[in-house]
Amino acid sequence: MVAVFAAVGSTIPLFNIYRAEDGFTNSGISLTVVAYSAATLSSLLVLGRLSNHVGRRPTAIASLGLLVLGCLLLLDVHDIGILIAGRLLMGLGAGLASSSLTAYIVDAAPARPTWLASVASSQTVMLGLAVGAIGSGALVQFGPWPRDLVYLVVVGLLLLSAALVAISSETVTPVPGGWQALRPDVRVPVRVRQLLPVAAAVLLGTWATGAFYQAFVPALVQDQLHTSSSFVLGLVFATYMGASALGAPLGGRFSPAVAQRIGMIAFLTGWIGIVTAIASGTLPLFIAATLVAGAAQGIAISAATRGLLLGSSLADRAPIFAVVYLLSYSGATFPSLISGQLSHTFSLPQIAAGYGVLALITTLVTAIAARNPTTDMPRPGRLGT
């Protein structure tokens, strides 16, 4: 999972190079984020239950293979269409990994501590994005072949990961019905339904912010915070994502409802600092506020995931994670699509303020409506088709 999302994060420090050398616009960069998220959504809808039928290992290896193809395509980016196509392949691979590899992690996790499975499954995404961004920033800034080396390194990590998965133990027994599983059909246990509105608010607010950091922070760092360093850009993005992985275990000390409230209130505090830093052009404040928002989202996301997983059976896990990431990437896709169009009219600080308002709304929903999961035995239910 870390390798998958390191591949996804590796592209971000290169966005300013593509803007400067190839004439890509903020709107075009935002469109690549939309393409990635839309491909991930499609993969989740169609392939979210596939690992229950063909096994965790084959689907995990297929997801890594799609990421390899995406990286190879990005070795020659001089047109926005190539960048979009590469990100589409990455999105397909990330979507397949989001359901199969996360379920694989939970299958293999020990029973104690109880929060370990939810933290490991939800925060490897953030950790991978952080590793990819800061590693890419360092290679772009200080290494040879700034447009290519990072993709070659990531391909090596993905191939190594595929080899390790191939020699690992399978955790599910393949069952017939794989073709039927490709029909979009999102299922969750009945007991989870009452938790979905608040989980959706948490995932919308936090993942929209992650998409904001991908699409607009490269330009903000250069234009508003006055640095063109690819390493600093990677460091800023890694601060947000890496802090999420560090903050996530803190939520395990509280019930899911309390942890979600604490996380989202701290997340809003971070956003207030982010908007203030952009308005004043203060890079240290921006990094500090990014750190707060990142750690806070880790608390909130892992708590929401923990609540949804409580009492889940082996067969429930892949569908639950498909729903989690379906909500997550919806939160990344639609605000990015809207803000990308608005970027033709509004300035980057105004776009950032809009995301701050979204953080306020999702925090209010969480503070008012968060609740703890029940311990009833789960029964299969249908969320929608």
Side-chain angles (χ1 to χ4, degrees):
M1 279 291 284
V2 172
V4 165
F5 287 94
V8 174
S10 67
T11 312
I12 294 159
L14 286 158
F15 282 164
N16 279 342
I17 290 180
Y18 298 149
R19 287 202 311 153
E21 296 182 3
D22 301 302
F24 295 176
T25 64
N26 291 333
S27 177
I29 295 295
S30 179
L31 186 59
T32 68
V33 176
V34 172
Y36 164 79
S37 299
T40 307
L41 278 171
S42 301
S43 181
L44 285 166
L45 280 170
V46 176
L47 304 175
R49 296 178 296 141
L50 188 61
S51 69
N52 283 346
H53 296 274
V54 302
R56 307 291 195 225
R57 284 192 306 174
T59 48
I61 291 171
S63 70
L64 295 166
L66 287 167
L67 268 294
V68 168
L69 292 177
C71 288
L72 293 176
L73 188 60
L74 293 178
L75 287 172
D76 186 29
V77 175
H78 294 285
D79 180 86
I80 192 68
I82 297 296
L83 182 57
I84 289 173
R87 296 293 283 179
L88 276 169
L89 284 170
M90 286 185 166
L92 292 172
L96 185 55
S98 295
S99 60
S100 62
L101 277 172
T102 46
Y104 206 171
I105 290 170
V106 176
D107 292 348
R112 292 287 185 271
T114 56
W115 51 262
L116 179 61
S118 63
V119 169
S121 57
S122 64
Q123 296 307 313
T124 44
V125 176
M126 307 303 176
L127 181 60
L129 288 168
V131 168
I134 197 166
S136 174
L139 290 174
V140 170
Q141 185 79 29
F142 306 114
W145 320 313
R147 297 173 67 113
D148 302 321
L149 180 58
V150 62
Y151 296 126
L152 296 174
V153 171
V154 169
V155 165
L157 290 174
L158 292 168
L159 292 176
L160 174 61
S161 299
L164 291 172
V165 170
I167 63 174
S168 298
S169 300
E170 180 60 72
T171 57
V172 301
T173 302
V175 296
W179 287 110
Q180 288 81 1
L182 300 180
R183 185 179 65 237
D185 185 17
V186 181
R187 294 176 181 269
V188 294
V190 171
R191 62 173 179 77
V192 167
R193 292 180 180 176
Q194 65 175 346
L195 305 177
L196 283 176
V198 171
V202 169
L203 296 169
L204 170 61
T206 55
W207 279 69
T209 298
F212 166 79
Y213 269 72
Q214 292 183 56
F216 296 107
V217 165
L220 275 169
V221 166
Q222 181 168 316
D223 301 341
Q224 306 297 133
L225 302 176
H226 316 299
T227 177
S228 59
S229 168
S230 297
F231 181 68
V232 170
L233 173 56
L235 180 63
V236 168
F237 187 77
T239 297
Y240 179 68
M241 296 302 175
S244 179
L246 295 175
L250 299 177
R253 302 183 179 187
F254 307 97
S255 69
V258 171
Q260 286 175 88
R261 290 190 179 101
I262 292 172
M264 290 304 291
I265 291 170
F267 178 73
L268 178 61
T269 303
W271 252 110
I272 293 171
I274 290 168
V275 172
T276 303
I278 292 171
S280 61
T282 308
L283 182 61
L285 176 59
F286 186 83
I287 293 176
T290 295
L291 183 65
V292 171
Q297 81 154 2
I299 295 172
I301 291 174
S302 62
T305 305
R306 176 158 51 101
L308 294 173
L309 282 174
L310 184 67
S312 64
S313 67
L314 193 69
D316 286 337
R317 290 167 187 167
I320 286 175
F321 276 114
V323 170
V324 167
Y325 285 107
L326 188 66
L327 293 171
S328 299
Y329 284 104
S330 294
T333 302
F334 296 110
S336 293
L337 186 60
I338 295 169
S339 58
Q341 295 303 310
L342 293 178
S343 67
H344 297 292
T345 304
F346 295 96
S347 67
L348 290 178
Q350 290 171 325
I351 295 290
Y355 276 91
V357 171
L358 179 61
L360 172 61
I361 294 170
T362 54
T363 298
L364 289 174
V365 171
T366 304
I368 294 169
R371 62 177 66 183
N372 289 313
T374 63
T375 56
D376 295 339
M377 290 302 291
R379 291 175 291 135
R382 187 183 299 272
L383 174 66
T385 301

